[in-house]
Amino acid sequence: MTPFQPGALDALVRNLSRHSELSNEDEAAILSLPHTLRTFEEKSFLLREGDHPTVCPILIRGYACRHKVTGGGSRQILSLNIPGDALDFQNLLVEEADHNIQMLTRGEVAKIPVLEISRLIEARPAVAQAIMVATMVESAMFREWTVSVGRRDARSRIAHLLCEFAYRVDSRGLSDGETYELPMNQEELGDATGLTAVHVNRVLKRLEAEGLIARNRRAISFPDRECLAELADFTPRYLHVRDGVSPRLRRAALPSVRDFVAAAC
Amino acid sequence: MTPFQPGALDALVRNLSRHSELSNEDEAAILSLPHTLRTFEEKSFLLREGDHPTVCPILIRGYACRHKVTGGGSRQILSLNIPGDALDFQNLLVEEADHNIQMLTRGEVAKIPVLEISRLIEARPAVAQAIMVATMVESAMFREWTVSVGRRDARSRIAHLLCEFAYRVDSRGLSDGETYELPMNQEELGDATGLTAVHVNRVLKRLEAEGLIARNRRAISFPDRECLAELADFTPRYLHVRDGVSPRLRRAALPSVRDFVAAAC
DNA sequence: CGTACGTTTGATCTTTCTCAATAATGGTGG
DNA sequence: CCACCATTATTGAGAAAGATCAAACGTACG
């Protein structure tokens, strides 16, 4: 457990800035938030249903997910978290957490005392607003996730998850825009999409055979991104990114991405 | 359009008080928020994807839902709204709404200027907190909805929707605790649960044959609530109601409800 | 009384699940 | 380096849940 690791919260700033305008002072205030850094192993829980959280964990490195388990024992993954995500704005204000947060891979987490967050919110309205917006955008992602699970077939569902993951990773500057290391196995992909691992496998093989994705172990790339997005019914409006994705991607953007960027200007 | 209807915002206060502690002054401040009242017909849109909302609509009478439509034209209903719900905290801070809000029945809506909400939030921290909490609880409902659609079979899914609806209506004192007028047809029930109307019909008939529900047109009652909740895998923790439901129901509560209430004390 | 809308029912077809077995893959200890 | 183990991926065959298509039946309402 390392206290006050300078630079650890860069990713959080990059995350919040995607949706909101932050001044240099705002950014500096976030970066200097007191926190402790800790490594968590793959599959370790950061929060369990029923807990009452007292610190706010920020994912610095690695990947995590939110999930709930039904009475029958099956699991539904509700969202993926990538570096820079605040993992617990969702539970901060309620008595008991209603879902679990679990690491998908080994990674590092910065924990900020809730009190410090409260202080920052009071001192800096722009930061308060940015946190609210980030939380709302998270809700928007939950909604789109429901649409996928409820109304898209297995192929679109998986394609949609891949598109969203790639888009989010890109918009935070975490990828080369070519290849994405998917932080989960086919079982977990099934739990995320409401399918079985077996069916996930068949769909992935089909997408591969159709030339829509290329795989090497868990690394995935998209030879024809536009076509995949079309099939996935992926429109990034719900991600509410202010300026679209990185310049590199903006050039070669999907039509829907282009529209979105144009509309946002 | 009637301005300043006194008493119209009672329902909002009742809603916010379910999760947060509000002083008499806080409640008075909410009740005296300037607003206009308007009637909306069944199926009319209160908000469309792409809109930028400038007022905050509060549902006073009648029922509404949030939904998204896929590229293929199918609809996924994401949540039901009942009197007292603020319909648009979710979109207030983002540039473009990412989903639609549509009346399920005829009803009345109070529109509060966003500016007035901002003022109130600045003046009364407890109200700000209550609004945040209500928004978080809404997110929790989105998540549970996803679990239903992703991991429960048709029977449990519909049963779950019925349990949640009844519980929410009860906890806001909008029912006699016996019979519930479901504000939607079987097509809409299908769009909410990710099923077809035909299959919804078959499941309803089956639940009826099993004695788990009784129907008269759209009015539904639950002869064996406990058993239905069991089958639905319904645990109201995610609704984060502070003191459980009305005293009447608390007496005859489901085991899960009872546990929840006990835990909350 | 006819029209529109919603419900109900039957027959058939598809998608996805389940069960089961086999093949890769990566890591471990010897 | 190799044998062994656990985990994950892949494939096949059969079953089941739910979708689709089509028609009939009610009921409210103009």
Side-chain angles (χ1 to χ4, degrees):
Chain A
M1 188 139 78
T2 324
F4 286 84
Q5 182 93 9
L9 297 180
D10 277 355
L12 177 62
V13 168
R14 203 152 47 231
N15 175 8
L16 294 177
S17 311
R18 281 185 315 154
H19 313 296
S20 311
E21 190 75 53
L22 291 177
S23 69
N24 290 341
E25 291 75 29
D26 293 327
E27 296 196 357
I30 296 171
L31 290 173
S32 65
L33 276 168
H35 62 273
T36 55
L37 252 194
R38 201 184 126 190
T39 299
F40 284 87
E41 293 305 316
E42 182 182 342
K43 294 198 190 343
S44 58
F45 279 79
L46 298 179
L47 180 82
R48 279 177 196 272
E49 190 173 342
D51 286 356
H52 177 65
T54 55
V55 292
C56 186
I58 313 291
L59 188 58
I60 304 301
R61 207 173 44 71
Y63 295 87
C65 71
R66 287 171 201 281
H67 65 84
K68 296 188 84 160
V69 176
T70 67
S74 49
R75 177 172 70 160
Q76 178 65 48
I77 291 178
L78 299 158
S79 66
L80 303 180
N81 288 108
I82 67 179
D85 281 347
L87 297 177
D88 216 5
F89 291 151
Q90 292 288 342
N91 281 304
L92 229 43
L93 296 175
V94 297
E95 276 301 309
E96 289 183 304
D98 54 57
H99 62 273
N100 308 289
I101 303 179
Q102 193 174 12
M103 294 300 292
L104 285 167
T105 65
R106 192 169 208 269
E108 272 169 82
V109 172
K111 293 193 174 177
I112 305 173
V114 170
L115 183 64
E116 297 294 338
I117 303 265
S118 307
R119 262 192 210 147
L120 185 61
I121 282 177
E122 275 169 45
R124 304 210 149 261
V127 174
Q129 165 112 355
I131 288 177
M132 284 283 291
V133 171
T135 308
M136 302 283 174
V137 171
E138 215 178 352
S139 294
M141 289 193 272
F142 289 140
R143 290 192 291 268
E144 185 68 28
W145 203 278
T146 305
V147 173
S148 256
V149 170
R151 284 302 189 205
R152 296 192 176 107
D153 67 12
R155 193 146 146 268
S156 298
R157 242 183 262 187
I158 290 179
H160 195 281
L161 184 146
L162 296 178
C163 287
E164 178 182 306
F165 182 76
Y167 187 95
R168 287 174 61 204
V169 164
D170 281 344
S171 83
R172 221 168 293 182
L174 295 172
S175 83
D176 60 2
E178 294 291 348
T179 300
Y180 302 84
E181 186 76 16
L182 210 60
M184 48 186 168
N185 61 29
Q186 295 177 3
E187 183 78 41
E188 290 160 336
L189 214 38
D191 286 344
T193 50
L195 302 166
T196 56
V198 172
H199 201 59
V200 166
N201 181 269
R202 291 195 230 269
V203 170
L204 284 176
K205 298 237 70 162
R206 181 170 163 203
L207 288 173
E208 199 173 12
E210 292 168 324
L212 288 165
I213 63 173
R215 293 187 304 156
N216 183 347
R217 189 107 192 92
R218 288 183 187 175
I220 295 202
S221 58
F222 311 113
D224 187 349
R225 226 178 158 104
E226 201 165 319
C227 189
L228 188 69
E230 165 91 22
L231 180 136
D233 185 28
F234 176 69
T235 313
R237 160 180 283 162
Y238 72 97
L239 292 171
H240 298 284
V241 176
R242 276 191 313 150
D243 306 309
V245 291
S246 68
R248 204 200 134 280
L249 280 167
R250 214 177 303 167
R251 277 201 311 278
L254 316 172
S256 46
V257 175
R258 223 181 294 133
D259 295 346
F260 177 77
V261 172
C265 292
Chain B
M1 187 141 74
T2 323
F4 285 84
Q5 181 93 11
L9 298 180
D10 278 355
L12 177 61
V13 168
R14 202 152 47 229
N15 175 8
L16 294 177
S17 311
R18 282 185 315 153
H19 313 296
S20 312
E21 189 75 51
L22 291 177
S23 69
N24 291 340
E25 292 75 28
D26 292 328
E27 296 196 356
I30 295 171
L31 290 173
S32 65
L33 276 169
H35 62 272
T36 56
L37 252 193
R38 200 184 127 190
T39 299
F40 284 87
E41 292 304 317
E42 183 183 342
K43 293 196 192 343
S44 59
F45 280 79
L46 299 179
L47 180 82
R48 279 176 196 274
E49 189 173 341
D51 287 356
H52 178 65
T54 56
V55 292
C56 187
I58 312 291
L59 188 58
I60 304 301
R61 207 173 44 72
Y63 294 87
C65 71
R66 288 170 200 280
H67 65 84
K68 296 187 84 161
V69 176
T70 67
S74 48
R75 176 171 72 158
Q76 178 65 48
I77 292 179
L78 299 158
S79 67
L80 302 180
N81 288 108
I82 67 179
D85 280 347
L87 298 176
D88 216 6
F89 291 152
Q90 292 289 342
N91 282 305
L92 228 44
L93 295 175
V94 298
E95 277 301 309
E96 290 183 304
D98 55 56
H99 62 273
N100 308 291
I101 303 180
Q102 193 174 11
M103 294 301 292
L104 285 167
T105 66
R106 193 170 207 270
E108 273 168 83
V109 173
K111 292 193 174 178
I112 306 173
V114 171
L115 183 64
E116 298 293 338
I117 304 264
S118 306
R119 265 194 207 142
L120 185 61
I121 283 177
E122 275 170 45
R124 305 210 147 261
V127 175
Q129 166 112 355
I131 289 177
M132 284 283 293
V133 172
T135 309
M136 302 281 173
V137 171
E138 214 178 353
S139 293
M141 289 193 274
F142 289 140
R143 290 191 291 268
E144 185 68 28
W145 202 279
T146 305
V147 174
S148 256
V149 169
R151 285 302 189 205
R152 296 191 176 109
D153 66 14
R155 192 145 147 269
S156 298
R157 244 183 261 187
I158 290 180
H160 196 280
L161 184 145
L162 296 178
C163 287
E164 179 182 306
F165 183 76
Y167 188 94
R168 286 174 63 205
V169 164
D170 282 343
S171 83
R172 222 168 292 181
L174 295 172
S175 84
D176 61 1
E178 294 291 347
T179 300
Y180 302 84
E181 186 76 17
L182 210 61
M184 49 186 169
N185 61 29
Q186 295 177 4
E187 184 79 40
E188 290 159 336
L189 214 37
D191 286 344
T193 50
L195 302 165
T196 57
V198 172
H199 200 59
V200 166
N201 181 268
R202 291 195 228 268
V203 170
L204 284 176
K205 299 236 69 163
R206 180 169 164 205
L207 288 173
E208 198 174 11
E210 293 169 324
L212 288 165
I213 63 173
R215 292 187 304 154
N216 182 349
R217 189 116 191 86
R218 288 183 186 175
I220 295 200
S221 57
F222 311 112
D224 188 349
R225 224 176 160 105
E226 200 165 319
C227 189
L228 187 70
E230 166 90 21
L231 179 137
D233 185 28
F234 176 69
T235 312
R237 161 181 282 163
Y238 72 98
L239 292 171
H240 299 285
V241 176
R242 275 190 315 149
D243 306 310
V245 292
S246 68
R248 203 199 136 281
L249 279 167
R250 213 177 304 167
R251 277 201 310 280
L254 316 174
S256 45
V257 174
R258 221 180 294 134
D259 294 346
F260 178 76
V261 171
C265 292

